[in-house]
């Protein structure tokens, strides 16, 4: 009896696996067509400086609106793109589009930054540095208006090699940050060896900041450690007043989240920049809500 149960269990399991695999394979093929059809595009989420109450820039977030599958989220398609190697084409598209937008916004808002997520496989690609340099050249973007985001695990993987790659990016003039900080492999030792400018507190710590004293303690510790190491801190996933107050009181440098604005199409962000950016030297606090 145990045997037949085991067998039934196995069949059920393998049926589920088949469905997962079938969607995976379908998405994998759909992605290639989708790229050709222009189904991938970027959204931009505003980032605010909490001290000066100024708009500092935006994070570029990839979207896929597939004719076949509807809207597919990056949490689903990025891992698939990584495992089938499609991330190289996708990563180039993201970089190029982000640079073109940075050039456009830089014309009327100098100093505005665009942050770009870099996946592990993309970073490990032998010609990653050349690709970045080529896109910077082709688009004419000022490298200082680009910020590249890496997760902890990506940076840690081949620590030695990565120091050189990150140094090369810094030399080009880009800003570097660590995304989803606190969720990955945390040997804090690496922070002092890598030429990092900022760390982003993962939104899982921000979510219950106000009600969960453990999350509050962790967020507070990350902020003070970052400042001791002369790194900037960005909080992600800020949704409410109380979270924002907490972060402002503890001198968190920047924040992004639904409280300010959800990710939006590039044209909408153009309007947002025009509405909220202030000219150099015209430092008046802005109302950031709504
Ligand atoms: P991430 O880089 O940590 O991006 C932040 C995610 O939090 C985004 O999800 C954003 O829409 C979401 N978010 C922003 N504010 C709030 C908030 O107030 N509350 C909540 N609950 N969520 C908020 P999204 O756009 O679905 O992206 C998910 C992940 O997919 C990203 O996490 C990033 O790891 C990856 N991703 C997105 N675009 C790219 C890309 O162009 N390249 C690579 N390699 N990965 C990307
Ligand atoms: Mg990110
Ligand atoms: Mg993040
Ligand atoms: Mg993430």
């Amino acid at each position: 009896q145990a045997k037949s149960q085991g067998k039934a269990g196995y069949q059920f399991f393998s049926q589920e696996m088949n469905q997962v695999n079938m969607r995976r394979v379908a998405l994998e093929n759909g992605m290639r067509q989708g790229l050709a059809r222009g189904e991938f595009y970027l959204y931009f989420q505003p980032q605010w400086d909490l001290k000066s109450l100024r708009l500092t820039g935006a994070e570029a977030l990839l979207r896929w609106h597939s004719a076949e599958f509807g809207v597919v989220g990056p949490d689903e398609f990025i891992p698939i793109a990584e495992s089938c190697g499609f991330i190289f084409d996708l990563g180039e598209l993201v970089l190029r589009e982000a640079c073109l937008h940075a050039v456009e916004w830089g014309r009327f808002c100098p100093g505005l930054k665009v942050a770009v997520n870099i996946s592990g496989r993309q970073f490990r690609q032998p010609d990653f540095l050349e690709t970045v340099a080529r896109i910077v050249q082709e688009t004419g973007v000022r490298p200082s208006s680009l910020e590249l985001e890496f997760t902890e695990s990506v940076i840690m993987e081949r620590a030695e090699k990565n120091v050189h790659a990150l140094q090369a990016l810094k030399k080009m003039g880009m800003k570097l940050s660590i995304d989803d900080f606190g969720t990955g492999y945390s040997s804090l030792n690496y922070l002092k060896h890598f030429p990092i400018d900022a760390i982003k507190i993962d939104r899982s710590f921000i979510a219950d900041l106000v009600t969960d004293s453990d999350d509050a303690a962790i967020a507070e510790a990350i902020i003070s450690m970052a400042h001791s190491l002369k790194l900037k801190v960005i909080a992600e996933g800020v949704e409410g007043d109380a979270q924002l107050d907490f972060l402002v009181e503890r001198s968190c440098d920047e924040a992004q989240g639904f409280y300010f604005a959800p990710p939006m199409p590039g044209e909408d962000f153009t309007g947002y920049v025009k509405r909220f950016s202030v000219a150099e030297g015209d430092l008046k606090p802005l109302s950031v809500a709504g």
Side-chain angles (χ1 to χ4, degrees), residues 41-43 45-46 59-63 72-79 82 87 90-91 93-95 115-120 122 149 151 179-181 200-203 206-207 235-240 243 256-263:
Y41 50 91
L42 293 178
Y43 265 33
Q45 184 172 42
E59 175 174 9
L61 294 158
L62 189 56
R63 296 290 178 260
V72 187
D75 283 328
E76 182 173 17
F77 71 74
I78 295 280
E82 276 226 299
I87 194 69
L90 219 45
L93 170 118
V94 169
L95 261 169
V116 180
N117 293 284
I118 304 294
S119 89
Q122 189 185 0
E149 298 189 1
T151 59
D179 202 358
D180 304 342
F181 188 82
K200 299 186 73 175
I201 308 176
D202 189 70
R203 69 169 193 266
I206 306 297
E236 56 178 29
V238 175
E239 296 182 357
Q243 290 166 326
Q256 65 186 87
F258 298 159
Y259 175 82
F260 301 98

Side-chain angles (χ1 to χ4, degrees), residues 98-131:
C99 288
L100 290 173
H101 276 102
V103 169
E104 181 196 343
W105 296 323
R107 278 196 212 108
F108 53 91
C109 186
L112 199 86
K113 261 182 330 165
V114 176
V116 180
N117 293 284
I118 304 294
S119 89
R121 186 140 179 218
Q122 189 185 0
F123 184 46
R124 288 193 302 272
Q125 190 185 20
D127 63 0
F128 176 71
L129 291 173
E130 285 101 281
T131 303

Side-chain angles (χ1 to χ4, degrees), residues 50 206-210 235-248 255-261 288-290:
L50 298 182
I206 306 297
D208 301 319
L209 203 57
V210 188
E236 56 178 29
V238 175
E239 296 182 357
D241 294 303
Q243 290 166 326
L244 187 62
D245 289 345
F246 180 101
L247 294 163
V248 168
Q256 65 186 87
F258 298 159
Y259 175 82
F260 301 98
V288 291

Side-chain angles (χ1 to χ4, degrees), residues 123 154-166 194:
F123 184 46
V154 166
I155 292 216
M156 287 301 301
E157 250 160 20
R158 311 164 313 156
E160 195 59 31
K161 273 189 180 169
N162 289 345
V163 177
H164 299 297
L166 295 173
F194 293 110

